[in-house]
Amino acid sequence: MNLDLVIFDMDGVIFDSEKVYYEANQIAADKLGMDYSLAYYKQFIGAGTDAMRAQMIEDYGGDAQLIDDFLRISEENVHPLVEAGELKLKPGFVELSQYLQANDIAYTLASSNYKSEIEFFLEYTDVDPAAFKTIISADDVAEAKPAPDIFNKAWKKSGAPAREKTIVIEDSFNGIKAANNAEIPVIMVPDIIQPTEEQRKTTVAILDDLISVREYLKNNY
């Protein structure tokens, strides 16, 4: 195998969690009487909470208290939704991770989410955190995606293999930009956001699911 490391994004790649976040957001928006939609939410996928807060304050007339209330109520609803069974593993993650293990290819998790949320999701879905070579969260870096910090740190803490022998798996435009900025090849597996011509030019492949990623790695590495 000519592949040493796979770096997984979490939300929308390992977990079908963007739907959970959007549902939690919509609950908050409805409670606060805010005009909110999936189309509006999509711009924040992969960007992190700080970027979302700053843009929403601007978009909602500078009302920081409203947005802080929105984020607080949203956060309060994520765990109950997960506990109600709304969080699912993305199809193919188990099969892909088993393939990587069988071929001695390390894999790492690099997420714009906070460490506490990552741990909660992994525990609730019985995904063993010890299977990952390392886990990098928003708590570990100064700048969220599309800055390269998360992927650079994940790559370095995973042993800094040759970048051309490393692959990032992402679903978001911000994540793809972050991988590009880190100069690490990236595969897009679309979730809520569908690719444009820009993503076709800035990824090594756009694949339907993680089973397709496994087949791509078998055939190309």
Side-chain angles (χ1 to χ4, degrees), residues 76-134:
E76 290 171 353
N77 279 281
V78 169
H79 285 205
L81 288 168
V82 171
E83 290 163 354
E86 294 294 318
L87 183 68
K88 308 292 184 185
L89 276 173
K90 294 290 282 187
F93 174 71
V94 171
E95 292 85 348
L96 176 54
S97 60
Q98 289 174 343
Y99 170 77
L100 296 175
Q101 291 171 16
N103 287 276
D104 295 320
I105 302 168
Y107 57 97
T108 285
L109 192 157
S111 172
S112 295
N113 215 323
Y114 296 109
K115 185 177 181 181
S116 60
E117 292 302 289
I118 294 170
E119 291 174 345
F120 175 72
F121 285 4
L122 294 174
E123 180 180 2
Y124 197 83
T125 54
D126 293 323
V127 175
D128 183 7
F132 297 98
K133 191 168 182 70
T134 191

Side-chain angles (χ1 to χ4, degrees), residues 21-42:
Y21 298 140
Y22 172 66
E23 187 173 350
N25 281 183
Q26 195 62 62
I27 290 169
D30 291 345
K31 185 171 184 177
L32 295 169
M34 298 167 62
D35 184 21
Y36 194 78
S37 68
L38 179 60
Y40 180 76
Y41 169 79
K42 286 181 179 180

Side-chain angles (χ1 to χ4, degrees), residues 13 33 57 68 78 94 106 135-136 149 165 186 190:
V13 173
I57 289 172
D68 287 342
V78 169
V94 171
I135 295 175
I136 302 299
D149 300 30
K165 293 185 177 182
V186 56

Side-chain angles (χ1 to χ4, degrees), residues 43-91:
Q43 68 184 296
F44 302 118
I45 292 175
T49 302
D50 291 343
M52 182 178 186
R53 179 181 183 273
Q55 186 61 51
M56 288 190 72
I57 289 172
E58 181 178 335
D59 293 343
Y60 285 84
D63 192 340
Q65 186 60 58
L66 174 66
I67 302 310
D68 287 342
D69 289 343
F70 169 85
L71 293 172
R72 174 181 53 79
I73 295 168
S74 295
E75 183 178 350
E76 290 171 353
N77 279 281
V78 169
H79 285 205
L81 288 168
V82 171
E83 290 163 354
E86 294 294 318
L87 183 68
K88 308 292 184 185
L89 276 173
K90 294 290 282 187

